[in-house]
Amino acid sequence: MKNICRPLLLVVLFSWCAQVTMAQTDKFLEILNRRGFYRPALQWLEDENHANGYLREMSDFSDQSLRKTLEYIEDELQDVQVILQAREEILGTKLVKKLDGKPKQKDLDEQDEILAKRFNESDRVKEAFERARKTQTLCHQLKAGITSELAHRTPKVMPQGALTRFFYSKGNGFAGYHHEVTLEKKEGKNILRVEERRMRYEPEEEAQPVYDVVVADSVMSRVRAMVEEGQLYDVGHSYMPDYMIMDASNWSMSFDFEGGDISSSGYASGPDHSDALGMILRYLTAVYEELKPKTP
């Protein structure tokens, strides 16, 4: 039979010549072309510590974010299946079963011999196979944990009573900014404050003064209504991105009511119902700009 060679397009890791074209092996090599190696994209699948950390914290995550993570896990499993099926095509089903059980040294030697004949850097291929096996296990652990968590949850409800305090902050140390909005009932008055800090402003620029402005009860009532109508009471307590993101913004928000509270925070992700939060922030900023002292 004629040998068929498949060159890598982006990173030249392997030189592969096969006797026949094997569908899953072709897809496996495409994955290696795309990434240069196999590594799960979700940070929760990096290793057992990451997966267990997610399972410990998932009670703080919203229903929506849990379901989104499930979708990402299913996507990852597709790549895992491609790699593991390619492994069977390359090594043979019989040898794979031995390797997945209690392999003898001769089984390990046979695997090395087969891979060495087909790949210049066979250790990297073997690493991809082993990583896929571990990732598959972690995927199923996370799926089971998330599914169980969702099945045992009860719907969240809007806290009772009037709004007494709202606080929101967002900042990014790398970008050099921090933004805060505070609305609170204090000594019988409703106080609104909006603060924007730029830690890297030019020398000729000056930090804007911050004022406490008094607002009507209707402002408190309207914010409460926007929380309820926008279902902001349904947010998770914590948000983290499924994929590793560097130098993103941290944020936090809290609503205090006479009969309960809502609090949430996150990094580079969330919250759910962010449209409602955006409406509240734009509304309060407009009120603040209208009522703050005018500077010449």
Side-chain angles (χ1 to χ4, degrees):
M1 276 189 187
K2 182 172 66 174
N3 286 344
I4 300 171
C5 297
R6 304 177 178 88
L8 294 182
L9 302 178
L10 301 179
V11 179
V12 180
L13 292 177
F14 316 110
S15 173
W16 160 257
C17 292
Q19 295 296 317
V20 294
T21 300
M22 295 183 285
Q24 296 306 103
T25 300
D26 287 339
K27 293 179 182 178
F28 168 49
L29 292 178
E30 288 177 10
I31 292 172
L32 293 175
N33 279 337
R34 194 165 63 243
R35 304 182 187 177
F37 54 88
Y38 171 66
R39 179 179 178 181
L42 269 71
Q43 62 171 317
W44 320 121
L45 299 173
E46 184 69 25
D47 52 39
E48 288 187 9
N49 288 334
H50 283 77
N52 290 333
Y54 180 91
L55 293 172
R56 285 194 302 268
E57 300 294 330
M58 67 180 175
S59 60
D60 286 339
F61 303 151
S62 69
D63 292 7
Q64 295 90 330
S65 62
L66 289 176
R67 292 191 180 97
K68 180 58 69 175
T69 301
L70 276 178
E71 292 179 13
Y72 292 146
I73 291 172
E74 291 293 346
D75 291 342
E76 194 68 53
L77 277 171
Q78 292 182 22
D79 278 355
V80 168
Q81 286 301 111
V82 166
I83 296 171
L84 295 182
Q85 288 173 20
R87 179 173 177 249
E88 286 201 25
E89 290 179 350
I90 295 168
L91 300 177
T93 302
K94 185 177 179 181
L95 178 57
V96 165
K97 287 183 178 179
K98 292 179 181 179
L99 293 170
D100 289 347
K102 295 182 178 179
K104 298 178 181 180
Q105 186 59 48
K106 67 176 184 178
D107 301 321
L108 299 174
D109 292 341
E110 182 180 355
Q111 173 185 225
D112 291 344
E113 182 180 350
I114 292 172
L115 294 179
K117 287 180 179 179
R118 291 161 169 78
F119 298 91
N120 282 345
E121 298 190 38
S122 59
D123 284 345
R124 293 203 179 186
V125 180
K126 191 162 59 175
E127 287 172 8
F129 289 158
E130 186 60 25
R131 192 69 182 263
R133 289 183 64 227
K134 292 179 179 178
T135 300
Q136 183 183 55
T137 299
L138 295 178
C139 281
H140 290 309
Q141 288 178 356
L142 288 180
K143 281 182 63 177
I146 294 172
T147 301
S148 176
E149 173 70 20
L150 288 170
H152 292 87
R153 286 193 167 184
T154 56
K156 295 182 179 179
V157 296
M158 178 71 183
Q160 297 297 309
L163 175 69
T164 58
R165 188 175 188 273
F166 164 63
F167 174 78
Y168 173 82
S169 71
K170 184 176 182 179
N172 185 313
F174 182 79
Y177 81 89
H178 186 81
H179 180 70
E180 285 187 8
V181 177
T182 306
L183 174 66
E184 61 184 337
K185 188 172 287 294
K186 192 174 182 180
E187 298 178 353
K189 296 180 180 179
N190 305 315
I191 306 298
L192 173 62
R193 181 169 59 255
V194 177
E195 183 175 0
E196 185 86 25
R197 294 200 301 270
R198 296 282 175 180
M199 284 77 84
R200 295 184 179 181
Y201 54 80
E202 297 296 326
E204 63 270 15
E205 293 182 356
E206 295 183 1
Q208 294 296 313
V210 180
Y211 304 99
D212 288 349
V213 301
V214 179
V215 300
D217 289 342
S218 59
V219 173
M220 304 289 282
S221 298
R222 183 169 177 183
V223 171
R224 188 197 188 286
M226 284 192 280
V227 172
E228 186 165 16
E229 292 167 5
Q231 298 182 320
L232 269 173
Y233 55 84
D234 192 38
V235 297
H237 185 65
S238 178
Y239 289 84
M240 287 289 289
D242 288 299
Y243 301 97
M244 183 64 71
I245 299 176
M246 305 299 290
D247 297 324
S249 298
N250 292 286
W251 61 270
S252 65
M253 72 173 187
S254 61
F255 297 89
D256 295 335
F257 303 89
E258 292 173 334
D261 62 81
I262 301 166
S263 65
S264 184
S265 63
Y267 169 80
S269 181
D272 298 297
H273 312 292
S274 58
D275 288 348
L277 175 61
M279 288 177 60
I280 291 171
L281 294 174
R282 289 191 295 274
Y283 167 64
L284 291 178
T285 300
V287 171
Y288 178 81
E289 291 297 323
E290 181 182 350
L291 296 178
K292 75 177 184 180
K294 302 299 185 289
T295 56

